[in-house]
Amino acid sequence: VTLDVQAACRDTTVTQELLKEGFHRDLLVSVELGEDAGGCAVAARTHLPPGIYVDPYELATLQQHNLTKAVLIPDVIDVEAPEYLARDLLVLLYLEPDPRCSRCFRAAMPVHARYHRPAEEREEVLVVLESPEVLLCCHHNHLSAECWEPAEVDTPCSAENACPCQWHSTKHRPAYKESMLRVPVGLREHNSLVCALTLLTTGLCSSLILAATCKYGHFF
């Protein structure tokens, strides 16, 4: 019986890519389901470590233009916090059908790397992104109980509908088990030089502002 179930449950394939370069990237998630999911909402639940985050204000703007649909957990994010003071983040990214493939879905969202502590030797650190979990939310009961099981996800079926629904998850085969984001960092041996240049620049700018204020300012 186990062999029959395994044969009936075709693997779902997940591909996760980081596009662009630098601190500001696009996370692209592509899914090919093992079975037809007509009429179902498809999403990818992605865990983001403290070294990377989604800007909720940028995401809200994209959602207003129907460019990206996602739910952030938690929804309050400190975008200025460095990596060592930040928290993990869960993202439920709603996927759109791929017109080139009947069982394929994909979506992208902007992500940003956080600043890290200076390192001793290496000039970059690695932020590891694990493969996301694939979720389905269906209003009918055509999903196979052997292939899909209820998932403990308390989020709505869509970005427009705030009512929660029952999500289901399945085993999937990631194209890559994890993705790597290389983040440049400073070296600790440069601390004194950086502090001196920062202090010098701050003093020079403050002097220029003070001089301009005294020359062109109007005092009563």
Side-chain angles (χ1 to χ4, degrees), residues 55-138:
D55 187 336
Y57 307 103
E58 180 182 22
L59 181 62
T61 301
L62 293 174
Q63 294 193 135
Q64 288 177 356
H65 295 85
N66 292 324
L67 298 177
T68 298
K69 299 178 182 178
V71 173
L72 305 181
I73 307 172
D75 57 356
V76 178
I77 301 171
D78 185 354
V79 299
E80 302 293 339
E83 178 270 340
Y84 48 88
L85 295 178
R87 300 166 53 190
D88 291 4
L89 176 66
L90 273 177
V91 180
L92 190 68
L93 178 63
Y94 298 96
L95 308 182
E96 297 292 337
D98 189 337
R100 298 169 296 180
C101 172
S102 61
R103 293 184 288 109
C104 299
F105 297 80
R106 60 187 298 167
M109 65 178 175
V111 295
H112 308 275
R114 294 187 183 274
Y115 291 105
H116 289 63
R117 292 184 187 275
E120 291 289 350
E121 299 178 354
R122 296 181 299 174
E123 295 186 356
E124 64 179 19
V125 294
L126 296 179
V127 177
V128 180
L129 293 178
E130 299 178 354
S131 179
E133 178 185 8
V134 180
L135 300 173
L136 256 67
C137 177
C138 302

Side-chain angles (χ1 to χ4, degrees), residues 178-201:
E178 55 190 25
S179 301
M180 299 286 188
L181 173 62
R182 299 180 181 272
V183 181
V185 297
L187 296 177
R188 292 185 179 178
E189 64 185 38
H190 297 158
N191 278 357
S192 299
L193 177 61
V194 171
C195 291
L197 290 177
T198 301
L199 182 61
L200 179 62
T201 303

